[in-house]
Amino acid sequence: MNKNKIVNYRSIHQMAYPVLLNYLLSSVFELLDKAIVGHYSVQGFAVVGIAASFTYAITGALGILSAAFNIAAAEEKGKGNEQGFETTFLVSRHLALLTGIGFSILSLLGGRSFFQNVYRIQGEDLSELLSYFYPASFTVVQNMLIFQYSAYFRNCLDTRITLYSTIVSTGVNLFFDFSLVYGFFGLPQLGTAGAAWGSVIGLAAGLLVYQLIYLKGHSARFICCIMTFFRSKKYLPGISLSAVRSVAGKILRLYPSLFGQELLESTIFTCVISATVARLGTEQMAIYSLLDTFGSMIGLPVYAYATATQTFALQRYSAGDLSAVKGYLKCGIRLTFGIIAFLCIFCGIFNKALLYLIVDDSQVIRGAQRHLLPVFLLQIVKIPYQIRMCYLQGISRERFVLLCTAIGTIGAGIGVVIAGSLAGLTGIYLVMAAELVILGACYTFGAS
């Protein structure tokens, strides 16, 4: 192994491990959050799983704004333009805030009609779902802002801030989840809705950590901001409104393709899967929710190392060092594959104990155990797909990614509906894995 590869491995590790720990804490929180609801009510666990899956899908689609910011920010960092980097962050943060608030308003106005007509959920199930969904919809704007701060500090090569924020957010979140679901410590017993309110409070605490650290490094600049805005119509010294418009235009040019890709794949396709599973019955809904949580926990390193690899690769690409770009991509894929393979083996051996941590219904656990192999396969084939896709989106190939995603989503969506009716959850997972294999091959060819 040559010296450059060793340096690449070390650099990716140093950036990825705080991100991985952050994802791990988030996953543990999600697991415990669902466990709190799962032990409170199996019915609540099933309907909350549907609402949470939809909320996560929307968060991913709208939160892709942070990917547009990350691409633009990495370009400025690669060129050594610190002023452009700061301007890019401020503009992107305001766009995220406005977009997230818009979704929360739409959720309050049309949530009931959406779940009635699309998911065909009625009666008490619908009431319990909406009691969770309405407050949970506000977590979308919170997560969008968190994504912006995370990308900001990642481009500053300081991913520890994200870890600190998540530690605070998770601790606060779990306390209020447990207290509000069961009514402990003098707080009202809200049932499944308490889990959503706990998330809102916890994410607010995490955002506060980000904002305080950001303000600590920019206090002098904010004072100048207030003074110079009224005098010269500039947001910060040296940053004019024309510069803000230029940055906003760059981000918004990137956003449609990135949003379209995320909307098709992580929102529309996820909704097709959720709706197909919902038609299989409440027990299958619970099994799918359990497997989704289990698989997401295993797949955490994929996103952590893809994020680290993308940041280094894009900064090197902007600096014109194409050989370093290829080195980072290869190292990222190899590292991620080794970690995921180990986790699949470990979780396969101890699957019963791990599944029992989430829900104690033996019938649901037995149903989940029958589908573990496709879940493991899905995480393995996701590795080249995720890393290559992230890189292509940052080098002006986002339209190519969008085209591949559109074709893949249409084909896989049809396949999920057919496979779901013929082979149940196993068929659904096999179709999902096949889609990732095909798209991964396309992205590898497109990046070469």
Side-chain angles (χ1 to χ4, degrees):
M1 184 180 297
N2 62 45
K3 185 177 180 180
N4 287 337
K5 285 188 177 180
I6 294 174
V7 172
N8 289 349
Y9 280 126
R10 185 183 300 116
S11 298
I12 293 173
H13 269 308
Q14 288 176 343
M15 177 176 285
Y17 85 83
V19 178
L20 179 57
L21 289 175
N22 170 62
Y23 286 160
L24 180 60
L25 281 173
S26 299
S27 180
V28 169
F29 152 70
E30 181 183 345
L31 186 151
L32 293 176
D33 189 31
K34 288 190 176 182
I36 290 171
V37 177
H39 286 276
Y40 179 80
S41 166
V42 173
Q43 178 189 20
F45 180 78
V47 297
V48 166
I50 296 297
S53 295
F54 175 73
T55 304
Y56 294 152
I58 294 295
T59 300
L62 297 181
I64 202 68
L65 183 66
S66 66
F69 162 65
N70 188 58
I71 293 170
E75 180 181 349
E76 299 298 336
K77 276 288 186 179
K79 295 177 181 178
N81 185 1
E82 292 297 326
Q83 185 67 75
F85 172 69
E86 294 291 342
T87 304
T88 301
F89 171 67
L90 291 174
V91 174
S92 184
R93 186 178 63 179
H94 282 81
L95 288 173
L97 181 64
L98 293 174
T99 304
I101 290 175
F103 170 75
S104 296
I105 294 173
L106 288 175
S107 297
L108 294 175
L109 295 176
R112 176 178 292 274
S113 176
F114 175 79
F115 285 105
Q116 278 181 328
N117 296 319
V118 176
Y119 288 85
R120 303 294 175 87
I121 299 175
Q122 305 288 339
E124 292 182 3
D125 285 348
L126 179 62
S127 298
E128 189 163 10
L129 184 149
L130 293 175
S131 72
Y132 176 91
F133 175 71
Y134 285 146
S137 66
F138 189 69
T139 64
V140 172
V141 64
Q142 292 177 299
N143 275 308
M144 288 181 69
L145 292 173
I146 285 174
F147 295 160
Q148 296 295 315
Y149 280 108
S150 178
Y152 174 86
F153 286 110
R154 184 168 64 247
N155 273 280
C156 294
L157 305 184
D158 190 357
T159 52
R160 294 172 300 173
I161 307 302
T162 297
L163 179 60
Y164 300 153
S165 172
T166 303
I167 290 173
V168 173
S169 177
T170 300
V172 173
N173 206 334
L174 289 177
F175 171 80
F176 281 100
D177 273 6
F178 188 72
S179 301
L180 291 174
V181 168
Y182 291 97
F184 291 148
F185 304 107
L187 295 174
Q189 182 177 354
L190 301 179
T192 55
W197 285 111
S199 298
V200 172
I201 297 171
L203 290 174
L207 274 172
L208 181 62
V209 172
Y210 272 125
Q211 184 62 22
L212 289 176
I213 294 174
Y214 180 79
L215 288 175
K216 182 179 179 181
H218 297 76
S219 56
R221 295 169 68 92
F222 274 98
I223 294 174
C224 293
C225 170
I226 296 173
M227 296 177 63
T228 58
F229 176 78
F230 293 103
R231 293 179 181 176
S232 59
K233 294 184 178 180
K234 295 179 180 180
Y235 286 105
L236 289 173
I239 302 179
S240 63
L241 288 176
S242 61
V244 172
R245 286 194 293 268
S246 175
V247 172
K250 181 188 298 184
I251 293 175
L252 293 176
R253 281 194 299 272
L254 287 167
Y255 186 70
S257 295
L258 297 176
F259 174 79
Q261 184 267 334
E262 187 72 16
L263 179 67
L264 285 168
E265 191 168 65
S266 298
T267 303
I268 294 177
F269 187 52
T270 298
C271 288
V272 169
I273 294 171
S274 298
T276 303
V277 173
R279 295 171 191 270
L280 298 177
T282 302
E283 182 180 320
Q284 294 299 303
M285 289 164 59
I287 292 173
Y288 173 74
S289 182
L290 177 60
L291 289 171
D292 186 53
T293 302
F294 195 63
S296 297
M297 181 177 62
I298 297 171
L300 290 179
V302 177
Y303 299 103
Y305 280 87
T307 297
T309 302
Q310 181 197 42
T311 301
F312 281 113
L314 294 185
Q315 289 187 2
R316 291 297 87 208
Y317 180 85
S318 297
D321 191 352
L322 297 183
S323 62
V325 169
K326 293 180 180 179
Y328 277 116
L329 290 174
K330 290 180 180 178
C331 291
I333 291 174
R334 290 172 182 171
L335 283 170
T336 310
F337 181 82
I339 295 172
I340 294 299
F342 169 78
L343 287 177
C344 287
I345 295 172
F346 177 83
C347 293
I349 295 173
F350 300 102
N351 66 84
K352 186 174 183 179
L354 293 172
L355 292 170
Y356 187 79
L357 290 174
I358 307 173
V359 64
D360 58 0
D361 189 290
S362 58
Q363 189 170 349
V364 172
I365 291 175
R366 284 196 298 270
Q369 287 177 311
R370 291 194 293 269
H371 301 89
L372 287 179
L373 210 56
V375 172
F376 293 153
L377 176 64
L378 191 64
Q379 308 312 315
I380 292 291
V381 300
K382 190 184 296 182
I383 297 168
Y385 154 81
Q386 188 69 33
I387 292 178
R388 296 288 183 180
M389 180 193 70
C390 289
Y391 173 66
L392 286 174
Q393 288 176 332
I395 60 170
S396 302
R397 299 297 305 277
E398 65 275 1
R399 292 184 180 179
F400 170 74
V401 173
L402 177 61
L403 177 62
C404 291
T405 301
I407 297 172
T409 299
I410 294 172
I414 296 172
V416 161
V417 174
I418 296 174
S421 61
L422 296 177
L425 288 178
T426 299
I428 291 173
Y429 274 110
L430 290 178
V431 170
M432 293 166 64
E435 182 201 19
L436 293 183
V437 169
I438 296 171
L439 289 178
C442 292
Y443 296 157
T444 300
F445 176 76
S448 61

